[in-house]
Structure formats: C-alpha cells, structure tokens
Amino acid sequence: MRLTHRDHILLFAPLAILIGGWLIIPALVGLSATLTTYSPLTTAVAFVGWQNYSDVLHDPQFGEAVRNVAIFALVAVPLELGLGFAIAYLLRRPIRGRSWWRGLLLLPWLVSPIAAGVMWHYLFSGATGIVSFVLGWLGLPEAASPIGDVRLALAATIAIEVWRMAPFVTFLLLPGLVAIPEERWEQATLAGTSWFWRIVNVALPEVAPLMLSVGMLLTGLSLGAFDTILILTGGGPGTATLTPALYSYDRAFVTNDWPSGATSAWLIAGGVALVGAAYIRLSGRRSG
Amino acid sequence: MRAARTIAIAAVTGAFLLPLAWTGLAAIGVLPDDSMRPPSWTGPPTLDHIADIGVAEPTFWQELATSTLAAILAACLTVAVAFPAAFALARSRYRGRRTVTQGFLVLASLPVMAYAIPLADLSRRVHLIDTFAGITLAEAAVTAPLAVFVLHGAVGQLPTEWEEVAVIDGAGLFRILGRVVLPLIAPTVAATLVVMFVLDWNMLLVPLVLTSGEVKTVPVALSDFFTFERELDWPTAAAALMVSLAPLAMLVGVFHRVLESFALQGRGDRDIG
C-alpha cells in the first residue's frame, strides 16, 4: 500500500522515541562530552578540543587493547563464519529431527557471555575442569589453565567466543542454504562437480548477502568484546586480553577517568562505523 | 550418505554440547575424580547444589524473577515498536531506504560500550537509574535495531495484494497492520520475540551500568559475585549456570519450529530492492 508522509511519521515515531532516547541521544551527548573535561561528578567543564583523543591514543594500554581486539576479530569472525557455514551445510538437507538438532546446537549461544566466562573458568582449571580430565584420560600430565598464561589467554577467550557464536551463525545461515532450489544442487551433481565446487559455485553465491550481514554482526560483537573477558581474566594476565571495551569500562567506572572512558568508547563506535560503511557499500553493490 | 551425515551432525553437536554436559553433571554433584588413572567421576547425583545457590547468593531467586520479567517486557516492547517501523521501511518508496535498512543492522552491531557510559549518566539525571523501568526500556532500545532488520525482511517478502484489498475495503492503517500484516508474518514475529528475549536475558553491560545494586539481573549478579573475588565452589556455580540457562533452553525447545522463521534477510529482498 502507498504510505503518506503522515503514515511514515506515525509508524516510525515509537521506534524513534525508544532508539532516540536510549541510544542516539546518549551517543551524541557522549560524543560532545569527549571534547570537554565533562564528568558526572565535576561542575566546572572546559572545552579541550582533541586533547582526550590524543591522551587515549597515546596511552600504551589502549594500544595493547586495540592490538588484542584486532587479533580477536580477525581470528574469531572467520572461524565463526567458517564453522557456522560448515555445520549449516551438513544440516541443509532434511534429516530426521532436523529442527531438534538445530535447537540443540543453539544451546551454547543461549549461555550468556558472562555465564560462559564463569563456566570456562572452571572448565579450564585443574581439579574440576574438562581439559585436564581429557588430558588425564589420554595419559598426559595436567596442564595449567590457559587463562593464566600470557601467551594462551587471548587464544582461550577467542575459543570461547567461537564456541558460543559458531552455532548461532549456523542458526542464521541455515534458512539461506535451505532456500536454495533443489535443481541447482542436482545440476551441479549431474555435471560432475565435486562437493568443494558445489559449495563455491552453488552455495556461496546464494548465501553471500546473508554471510555479509552475519559478518557485520559478528565483527561488531568482536570489537565490543567485554562480558566473557571481564569475568575470565579481567583483561589480564598483564594486558594480554585487554580490549577497548574493558579499557573504557575501567576508565569510566573504576578509575573515575570519565573523559578517557567516553572517548575510548567513541573510538570503538568509530571502528564499527568504518566496518558498517564498508558493509553498506558491499551489500549495495551486490544488489545492483 | 544420509546416515553418514546424521553421524557427522551428532558428532558436531556432541562436541559443542560437551562443556554444557560437563557443567550439568557438576550441577547434580557428579564431579571428576583426578586421583584415579584414568580419571573417573565421583558422587551420587544430588539436587542439594541447587538449594546451595540460595545460600551463597540469598537474592538469586529474586534476581531470576527480575531477569525474567525485564526480558519479557523488553522483548514485547522491542517488537511492538519495531514492527510498525519495519512495515513502513518495507513499503516505503523513498530513496535511500535500503541504506537506512542496512543502517539498522550496523546499529544492531554497535557494541553497547559505545554509548553505555553517557547512557548511565543520562539515566541518573532523569532518575531512571536503579529502576526496573529504566533497565527494561534500555534493554528494549538496544535490541530494537536487529528486530527492525529481521521484521523488515519478513514484511518485504509478503505480496502486497492483501493490503490492497484491505485498503479498498476501507480499512485504516493500523487495522491493516494488526489484522492483515501481523497474522501473515506471525511466525517471524514469534521467533523475533524469542531471540529478543534471549538477548535481553543475557545482557550484561546495560543492566550493569544502570544499577547500583537495587535492581539486579542474573548476569549482573554473576559479575558482582565473581568481581568481588568471592569463592563459589564449582557444583554451586554450575547449578546457578544451569538454572539460569534452563528457561532459555525450554523456550527454544518449545519454539524450535517457529525459530526457523528467524531470518536476517528475506529471500525476496533482492527483487524488491
């Protein structure tokens, strides 16, 4: 049906109030505050220009955090997409109880990020954990928890994120794979195409727009990595698992350096905005 | 071939669920025993650890109730405001609506940390901090962009004939929305409600920065408990994890068929765009 201007306003108003009040306005207020010395507890506010940004960007800790989150996103997102796609590919044809398998596979995603942190804290540790149990079964000596090891801590947090999110990627990709008409697979099979080329030529072109959207969500989540790491390592050991989100939280709510907290938070938003611009460009080109 | 695939799926599912099974066993007191080679398990199953949660964290059951109520209300509010907007977006003829739609996905990807700090400050100024309403409204707002994106895809796939017929019959905008469009995309709406409930239930940062302890959800309670370095023995922690996972698992169990309608992009999207 044809919508008038008035219809548009009526239909968008409730959403605009909710998102405007709780998302956009806080974000913009935060943005303007980053150019000042504003903090909730001070009364005198001075304009300082780019000073806060310069401070944060010159803080070696923030540099570490950016490096960690870059590794986190560059490793976790492709792994999640790859694993998620592989499992969805296994599930694409009807088998007995497919929707049950799909529901069961969603369980890791249902564990909240913070609960996942608590859970893996115990699963990685010696006496109670699954890791040392399996090692013991194989006759190997017990290993120390990777979350206390500078070299392994980041890898451990990535592994937990992949464990939690890959099943969700399967959940999101499966409708796209199932929707591919059966003839397309049959044609490819009749032409003698191997399974690898069936994936590349039949499956991937169909789910590419979907993969792009899922990739956008995953990248945003990775760049904001916070909950699991807060509970598991608190950013440590040292700065091995520090992320920009943890850095902002710490500055704003723990050390009461509100301007640094708000400023580093805006740098995260800036990073996501860049990825978002790339996403909009890429998906626009695809649709022609 | 089919059997091989079933085995592969079972193996993959088993691998992903193994950590949860381990936690579930610990919750009922079946714990690993490292003293033996190869290691085995100890203890007869017991439900005592579930009762221990209330001893370690006396307000746990209250926090569970807060989480449930906040997540239900927030999910309903999200879908209620997202649905009309998604419809407008799908039926709009304005230029740039594609970009706006994709903008909603970018907004959905924006980490909460990006605006949580000023959100806490503003909520304090308008006295919404430490209130149930403040937390519920904020949770609803955070998940709204994703709901718009998903519902937009579902509306975009619908043929417009039903709406045209309703217009000829003289039905008004909101009547068409409620009586024609909503029933047609009911499965997607239900699936969106379930996913939003899960996201709200599991959200940490929003309820964490919006409370000083008066109104607590389960994730906030978990973070408080472990941030203040209190020790919790593994079976009790495992029991708490399992209890807070159970409502979500039951929800997904009941709605597993409906959840198939949760799609990030309607298939017809390309034709309409």
Side-chain angles (χ1 to χ4, degrees):
Chain A
M1 65 185 290
R2 267 203 114 79
L3 297 174
T4 61
H5 283 296
R6 190 175 149 274
D7 293 341
H8 273 102
I9 292 168
L10 276 175
L11 293 170
F12 267 112
L15 179 78
I17 294 169
L18 194 66
I19 294 190
W22 274 267
L23 234 142
I24 310 284
I25 292 177
L28 293 179
V29 167
L31 178 63
S32 46
T34 59
L35 302 172
T36 69
T37 57
Y38 174 82
S39 138
L41 301 171
T42 54
T43 42
V45 175
F47 180 78
V48 291
W50 299 107
Q51 188 59 46
N52 289 326
Y53 287 90
S54 160
D55 287 349
V56 169
L57 289 172
H58 283 103
D59 184 348
Q61 276 213 349
F62 188 74
E64 283 292 310
V66 169
R67 191 192 69 103
N68 289 339
V69 89
I71 296 173
F72 190 98
L74 286 173
V75 177
V77 175
L79 271 179
E80 287 159 359
L81 280 175
L83 253 175
F85 178 85
I87 302 170
Y89 190 77
L90 276 176
L91 279 168
R92 78 185 190 283
R93 290 234 181 100
I95 55 159
R96 264 170 72 90
R98 179 169 68 185
S99 67
W100 278 109
W101 288 116
R102 198 171 175 240
L104 273 176
L105 259 174
L106 206 52
L107 278 171
W109 176 67
L110 298 181
V111 178
S112 69
I114 188 132
V118 173
M119 199 179 117
W120 283 97
H121 164 77
Y122 289 103
L123 293 181
F124 278 141
S125 72
T128 51
I130 197 167
V131 178
S132 60
F133 188 84
V134 173
L135 289 176
W137 230 77
L138 298 171
L140 295 167
E142 208 171 80
S145 176
I147 56 178
D149 189 322
V150 182
R151 289 158 304 167
L152 295 177
L154 190 61
T157 60
I158 291 172
I160 296 171
E161 182 75 0
V162 173
W163 170 75
R164 220 181 71 81
M165 292 310 291
F168 187 57
V169 174
T170 299
F171 171 78
L172 293 175
L173 290 182
L174 193 56
L177 274 175
V178 168
I180 299 173
E182 194 55 37
E183 305 95 74
R184 305 281 305 274
W185 298 108
E186 280 164 15
Q187 276 167 11
T189 314
L190 286 176
T193 319
S194 71
W195 65 270
F196 176 79
W197 289 107
R198 282 207 296 274
I199 291 179
V200 173
N201 293 332
V202 181
L204 284 182
E206 285 289 328
V207 295
L210 189 55
M211 291 269 259
L212 203 58
S213 298
V214 177
M216 175 71 231
L217 280 175
L218 293 177
T219 309
L221 270 176
S222 293
L223 293 181
F226 179 77
D227 307 19
T228 309
I229 304 176
L230 175 75
I231 223 68
L232 203 62
T233 64
T239 55
T241 55
L242 186 69
T243 64
L246 277 164
Y247 177 94
S248 314
Y249 182 83
D250 183 70
R251 289 302 127 102
F253 299 110
V254 182
T255 57
N256 286 320
D257 182 359
W258 206 88
S260 291
T263 306
S264 49
W266 253 98
L267 289 169
I268 303 174
V272 175
L274 281 179
V275 178
Y279 161 73
I280 288 175
R281 258 197 99 84
L282 280 172
S283 48
R285 187 186 303 160
R286 182 162 293 283
S287 64
Chain B
M1 189 56 202
R2 176 170 287 204
R5 236 189 18 250
T6 309
I7 292 167
I9 290 162
V12 169
T13 311
F16 271 95
L17 296 192
L18 190 63
L20 279 172
W22 192 264
T23 311
L25 282 175
I28 55 167
V30 180
L31 295 161
D33 180 1
D34 277 347
S35 57
M36 287 195 285
R37 289 280 146 172
S40 81
W41 286 277
T42 57
T46 165
L47 291 177
D48 291 352
H49 301 299
I50 293 171
D52 287 346
I53 306 168
V55 178
E57 172 84 359
T59 48
F60 181 79
W61 301 105
Q62 191 193 327
E63 287 146 12
L64 204 66
T66 306
S67 275
T68 311
L69 202 58
I72 290 174
L73 291 174
C76 291
L77 181 61
T78 297
V79 171
V81 303
F83 171 59
F87 176 78
L89 210 51
R91 293 292 179 260
S92 170
R93 284 156 200 262
Y94 291 127
R95 289 184 51 165
R97 75 195 129 71
R98 267 198 84 86
T99 311
V100 172
T101 309
Q102 285 153 354
F104 274 107
L105 192 77
V106 176
L107 210 52
S109 312
L110 189 66
V112 175
M113 197 65 227
Y115 48 85
I117 297 168
L119 178 64
D121 183 34
L122 285 179
S123 295
R124 193 177 50 82
R125 284 173 187 275
V126 298
H127 304 292
L128 272 172
I129 208 140
D130 251 338
T131 64
F132 181 77
I135 289 171
T136 309
L137 285 165
E139 287 189 351
V142 169
T143 49
L146 184 62
V148 174
F149 190 82
V150 171
L151 294 173
H152 160 269
V155 176
Q157 278 184 293
L158 290 180
T160 55
E161 284 93 50
W162 298 105
E163 294 156 33
E164 310 298 347
V165 170
V167 170
I168 294 163
D169 285 349
L173 176 65
F174 288 95
R175 203 181 159 76
I176 292 175
L177 222 58
R179 294 289 172 82
V180 181
V181 183
L182 190 60
L184 288 172
I185 62 162
T188 307
V189 170
T192 308
L193 276 170
V194 173
V195 173
M196 295 300 130
F197 179 87
V198 173
L199 291 174
D200 291 328
W201 175 276
N202 285 340
M203 206 177 282
L204 170 70
L205 201 46
V206 167
L208 181 65
V209 302
L210 292 184
T211 187
S212 54
E214 290 291 315
V215 186
K216 265 196 208 178
T217 61
V218 172
V220 176
L222 274 178
S223 104
D224 276 2
F225 204 95
F226 288 91
T227 318
F228 295 126
E229 315 258 337
R230 279 180 285 174
E231 260 315 306
L232 189 60
D233 65 316
W234 168 225
T236 312
L241 296 177
M242 283 294 131
V243 168
S244 55
L245 177 64
L248 303 184
M250 282 190 283
L251 200 65
V252 168
V254 171
F255 287 99
H256 68 280
R257 282 202 176 277
V258 164
L259 278 171
E260 290 180 7
S261 319
F262 188 88
L264 268 189
Q265 212 159 21
R267 257 220 304 155
D269 220 28
R270 268 159 286 161
D271 315 325
I272 297 160

